[in-house]
Amino acid sequence: MIRVVVVDDSAFMRKALTTMLEKDPDIKVVATARNGAEGLTVIRQYNPDVVTLDIEMPKMDGLTALRHIMMEMPRPVLMISSLTTEGAESTLKAMELGAVDFIPKQLSKVSLEIVKIEKDLQQKVKSVSRRKIRAPRTSRPSLAAKAAPRVAAPVMRGRPKRDVVAIGVSTGGPPAVQKVLSKLPANFPAAILIAQHMPAAFTGPFAKRLDNVCKIKVKEASGAEPIAPGTAYIAPGGKHIVLQQSGSRMEVVVKEEPADALYKPSANVLIESVAKAQGRRAVGAIFTGMGNDGLLGIRELKSRGGYILAQNDASCVVYGMPKAIVDAKLTDEILDIDDMAEALMASIYK
């Protein structure tokens, strides 16, 4: 039985989340709380496997409560987030502090809509419940001040053999992507295309946050534009990005189709396009996430001579997407997320 504590100042949300979660026979909501301070008390008392945590609450907000949880009693925390720019900024900060994912609160306002997130909520709780969570260094200032960030050395080995890196990532992705991109040098010799499962309100702030902390340039993809080395393009939420030839240049293009894709953006759509456009001159990487999005794209890229990297089980929040390509024996390397930036640098010359 997976034991959950729900922390939210809305009585409706506490009831709704409890009802949705307990429709799964493997999940039990052992306690609820109306604010962060009350939440800390019941978490200490009930020692749950997973916590759902609202961001905006009286007495103690969700970010403050999250800092205490990660310092004192780390465990998987899912944030309840509004799908606004402000909500996105707060949620991205929460994931930096150690939250593993979020549940869109906007869907909670209409009772007919809430059913749409029921299965996703249950699946997220079950996927993260057994994962050991460690407090990130950012929540421990004294340690963070002493530890200099590792940066992949800009090793040059002649002419690069690969020009594009395609990354697929989902649950637990924002901190993983930030960790990797922030270690890359400004002269990284390839373009990076990223399909992160994320709502439209989040991808713009996510790209801006990354651009502020990375040496490479990071932007949300828009329209059609030529790719450039040392630049990462984030797929906008609710749309796909693909790589395609336009005359003598390669362009990243934002598109709506396929409309029936399970995920928008889709790692499969992105990586399959990279495989067809670049083949052996591309690297494919799959990071933490539920499900198997990216498997079909990686299989296509591998068949065309692409180099394939996967994040390892120990450093994933959810070992689903990487596991799919590992089990299919498509990987060239399986790596801890701490070693991924260095591996990406090396793979460009392999």
Side-chain angles (χ1 to χ4, degrees):
M1 184 69 68
I2 299 166
R3 304 166 74 253
V4 180
V5 161
V6 172
V7 185
D8 200 293
D9 64 333
S10 163
F12 169 74
M13 274 300 290
R14 293 196 300 273
K15 177 64 175 175
L17 290 169
T18 298
T19 300
M20 286 191 291
L21 287 168
E22 292 192 337
K23 283 185 180 179
D24 189 303
D26 295 328
I27 301 173
K28 173 69 176 175
V29 176
V30 294
T32 63
R34 294 168 293 182
N35 56 63
E38 191 175 299
L40 294 177
T41 298
V42 297
I43 292 167
R44 294 185 189 106
Q45 179 180 352
Y46 289 92
N47 191 30
D49 301 303
V50 180
V51 174
T52 74
L53 185 60
D54 192 13
I55 294 177
E56 297 295 331
M57 294 182 291
K59 295 188 179 179
M60 181 184 289
D61 64 78
L63 292 180
T64 304
L66 179 63
R67 288 187 182 95
H68 284 285
I69 293 169
M70 289 298 125
M71 288 290 288
E72 179 186 339
M73 43 194 169
R75 67 200 59 233
V77 177
L78 294 169
M79 304 305 293
I80 311 297
S81 173
S82 62
L83 297 182
T84 62
T85 300
E86 185 178 336
E89 291 286 359
S90 297
T91 307
L92 290 169
K93 179 62 177 176
M95 286 192 271
E96 272 188 14
L97 293 171
V100 297
D101 208 342
F102 63 93
I103 302 156
K105 189 170 189 176
Q106 204 149 312
L107 294 177
S108 72
K109 294 181 179 178
V110 181
S111 58
L112 292 176
E113 292 288 317
I114 205 164
V115 179
K116 294 182 180 180
I117 66 168
E118 184 176 291
K119 292 299 180 185
D120 187 47
L121 171 62
Q122 293 167 354
Q123 187 179 15
K124 284 181 178 180
V125 166
K126 294 174 84 166
S127 294
V128 305
S129 63
R130 305 306 177 197
R131 177 60 63 183
K132 295 292 184 184
I133 301 295
R134 294 174 295 175
R137 283 178 175 171
T138 51
S139 67
R140 295 179 178 176
S142 60
L143 292 179
K146 294 177 183 177
R150 293 195 312 163
V151 178
V155 178
M156 297 302 173
R157 303 172 183 173
R159 291 177 61 86
K161 294 182 173 63
R162 304 180 195 271
D163 307 309
V164 177
V165 175
I167 297 174
V169 58
S170 185
T171 305
V177 171
Q178 179 171 322
K179 180 172 284 190
V180 173
L181 297 194
S182 64
K183 292 179 180 179
L184 297 176
N187 62 345
F188 185 71
I192 302 171
L193 310 181
I194 301 173
Q196 160 77 62
H197 297 166
M198 191 177 275
F202 280 63
T203 46
F206 180 46
K208 288 179 182 177
R209 177 178 285 267
L210 290 172
D211 192 52
N212 287 335
V213 300
C214 294
K215 294 180 175 64
I216 64 170
K217 182 178 180 181
V218 184
K219 61 175 298 187
E220 183 181 42
S222 60
E225 56 190 310
I227 59 171
T231 303
Y233 303 86
I234 307 292
K239 297 180 181 180
H240 304 294
I241 57 171
V242 297
L243 184 67
Q244 62 185 38
Q245 187 89 32
S246 178
S248 61
R249 67 187 188 184
M250 285 288 173
E251 290 186 341
V252 56
V253 178
V254 176
K255 56 184 292 188
E256 299 282 350
E257 300 298 328
D260 60 350
L262 182 59
Y263 301 102
K264 293 183 74 174
S266 162
N268 277 327
V269 171
L270 166 61
I271 299 170
E272 284 182 348
S273 75
V274 170
K276 292 172 183 175
Q278 288 289 85
R280 65 184 301 105
R281 294 196 65 85
V283 177
I286 300 294
F287 296 175
T288 176
M290 291 191 297
N292 65 359
D293 186 28
L295 173 60
L296 298 179
I298 290 293
R299 181 173 282 127
E300 180 70 20
L301 181 56
K302 182 72 172 179
S303 72
R304 294 173 183 248
Y307 197 81
I308 310 301
L309 306 174
Q311 185 177 348
N312 67 2
D313 186 4
S315 64
C316 281
V317 170
V318 179
Y319 189 54
M321 287 166 58
K323 183 178 187 296
I325 67 168
V326 170
D327 288 351
K329 299 184 176 3
L330 297 173
T331 54
D332 292 292
E333 294 183 71
I334 304 167
L335 302 142
D336 191 283
I337 198 65
D338 286 333
D339 301 319
M340 189 65 72
E342 200 167 333
L344 284 177
M345 276 296 302
S347 67
I348 297 302
Y349 297 93
K350 290 182 178 178

